[in-house]
Amino acid sequence: MINDRLDRIGDYPFDRLRALLDSSTPQTEAAPLSLALGEPQHPAPEILHRVLAESGDLWGKYPPVWGTPAFRAAVGSWLERRYSLPSDMFDPDKSIIPVSGTREALFMIALTVIPEKISGQQPLVLMPNPFYQVYLGAAALAGAESVFVPAVPETNFLPDFHALDAETLDRTALAYYCTPANPQGTAASVEKLKSIIELARKHDFVVIFDECYSEIYSDLPPSGGIEACAALGGSLDHVLIMNSLSKRSSVPGLRSGFVAGDPEIMTRFKQVRDYGGAPPPMPLLAVATALWQDEEHVESNRALYRRKFDIADQKLSGLHGYYRPDGGFYLWLNVGDSEAAALKLWQQAALRVIPGAYFAKTGQDGNNPGAAYIRCALVHDLETTSQALDRLVATL
């Protein structure tokens, strides 16, 4: 009765975290504090409240899968500004679809692009290891076999798809590439992104650039997949880009993102969403349109994250392999044994972090590339962040 492909996935990381911690009671009077969930806690932009209040008449309309022309134009203009694209590089009305958060899109795209067989064999899906768990679930439930490509210090925490043999690449239907990486925060160069696109086109697979953390950075804005497409001549062939407002605008509850890319794939993706998708409601599309058109609130949001990493620089410098990431809001700390450290932090400091082992698969060599790390999300206000890092340092 139950799809046996679910057995290939295993428990979700946060279910595993609850199983690890919830039978223990912290041995401290400090209030429990979670750095486990990457859920931005900054105040929502004023734009959200204003536009939502002005859009009440739209609740009576079913939202179209393609979204609204205004939304597509806003995202298209943002992509052009953000990545200095030629104004005629793509048609937003054929290359952009709104989605209810990129998690949904990352999952459903697998149902769109993965065939039953490739040259008579089970298709493959490439993903970094550690990885965002939706990649694994999407691949398994679409009937594909996952290929876990190490994203470790030796590869600058990014997967090296070029290290795979030609037979593997020829069986590949889909590759997930997250930049800046979750959880490590490393951003790929435009040259690296160009080489991945060329690899995808050579071996005829689709590459998805998961760029949800692209707007949270300390110094230079990270490069993007669509920027690499422009550098290669402008074609979006074999390429999809996904981004959302959850991190950029600190509105995770809005559940609003977009997919942009290859028009042929987008047409097929629209067909899949006709059957199983849940398009963002019209009032929320109006809010999203306004947020993609505004950069002032994004700059304020980014500045707050920079201040939190300034605090982390002071408190963690020289400890647990600390480094300031290129993008995103996570710390990826080498603590030796991630489960033991997470349990100790909960029991002794009432601090919840998530073991890196839960984001990774153990390889045939017995090595789990996340086993030594914990992921900590700096999503709270400055004072709370400072207190949490004091607890972490004192305990570990």
Side-chain angles (χ1 to χ4, degrees), residues 104-324:
E104 174 204 45
L106 288 163
F107 183 87
M108 293 190 71
I109 199 65
L111 304 179
T112 306
V113 303
I114 296 175
E116 290 187 16
K117 299 287 183 182
I118 295 180
S119 299
Q121 296 180 286
Q122 185 182 20
L124 303 178
V125 173
L126 312 183
M127 61 192 69
N129 193 24
F131 56 93
Y132 182 36
Q133 299 296 302
V134 173
Y135 305 161
L136 172 60
L141 292 174
E145 177 185 347
S146 296
V147 177
F148 303 100
V149 185
V152 291
E154 293 77 14
T155 63
N156 196 27
F157 290 121
L158 293 169
D160 182 7
F161 295 157
H162 292 78
L164 300 171
D165 59 74
E167 181 180 357
T168 296
L169 293 169
D170 285 340
R171 278 182 59 195
T172 297
L174 175 63
Y176 290 104
Y177 196 92
C178 186
T179 177
N182 172 13
Q184 308 97 323
T186 303
S189 68
V190 71
E191 292 302 318
K192 169 65 79 173
L193 300 177
K194 285 167 57 179
S195 73
I196 295 168
I197 293 169
E198 291 173 327
L199 193 71
R201 290 171 178 171
K202 177 181 178 181
H203 293 276
D204 194 25
F205 62 83
V206 176
V207 59
I208 294 175
F209 294 110
D210 180 356
E211 300 178 358
C212 288
Y213 298 91
S214 69
E215 303 313 289
I216 300 172
Y217 53 85
S218 290
D219 299 315
L220 298 176
S223 297
I226 202 164
E227 178 184 5
C229 287
L232 288 171
S235 171
L236 300 176
D237 193 34
H238 287 73
V239 176
L240 296 176
I241 298 96
M242 298 192 185
N243 211 323
S244 83
L245 294 169
S246 295
K247 281 73 177 179
R248 174 188 182 270
S249 300
S250 198
V251 286
L254 188 65
R255 305 310 302 142
S256 181
F258 71 80
V259 183
D262 188 322
E264 182 177 348
I265 301 174
M266 296 296 284
T267 298
R268 302 293 279 180
F269 183 49
K270 189 264 183 184
Q271 287 183 278
V272 172
R273 289 180 55 74
D274 279 338
Y275 287 95
M282 294 289 280
L284 303 191
L285 274 178
V287 171
T289 300
L291 289 173
W292 285 114
Q293 292 171 330
D294 182 76
E295 288 297 320
E296 184 176 351
H297 77 278
V298 184
E299 292 171 1
S300 299
N301 192 44
R302 188 182 301 128
L304 186 52
Y305 282 113
R306 285 174 175 152
R307 292 175 66 188
K308 285 189 274 192
F309 275 104
D310 289 342
I311 294 171
D313 287 347
Q314 297 169 4
K315 297 182 182 293
L316 287 167
S317 179
L319 299 175
H320 308 298
Y322 170 78
Y323 59 91
R324 189 164 181 149

Side-chain angles (χ1 to χ4, degrees), residues 333-355:
L333 301 177
N334 190 331
V335 294
D337 183 330
S338 62
E339 282 193 320
L343 187 58
K344 182 177 182 180
L345 284 166
W346 176 242
Q347 291 176 335
Q348 298 186 17
L351 190 65
R352 292 178 84 95
V353 302
I354 190 161

Side-chain angles (χ1 to χ4, degrees), residues 13-57:
F14 292 98
D15 292 330
R16 297 178 66 183
L17 182 64
R18 284 187 284 271
L20 176 69
L21 302 184
D22 286 359
S23 61
S24 300
T25 301
Q27 302 163 5
T28 174
E29 295 182 359
L33 178 61
S34 179
L35 301 182
L37 188 61
E39 183 180 60
Q41 297 296 297
H42 299 178
E46 186 278 333
I47 297 171
L48 180 148
H49 305 289
R50 173 175 57 80
V51 176
L52 193 59
E54 296 169 352
S55 304
D57 60 310

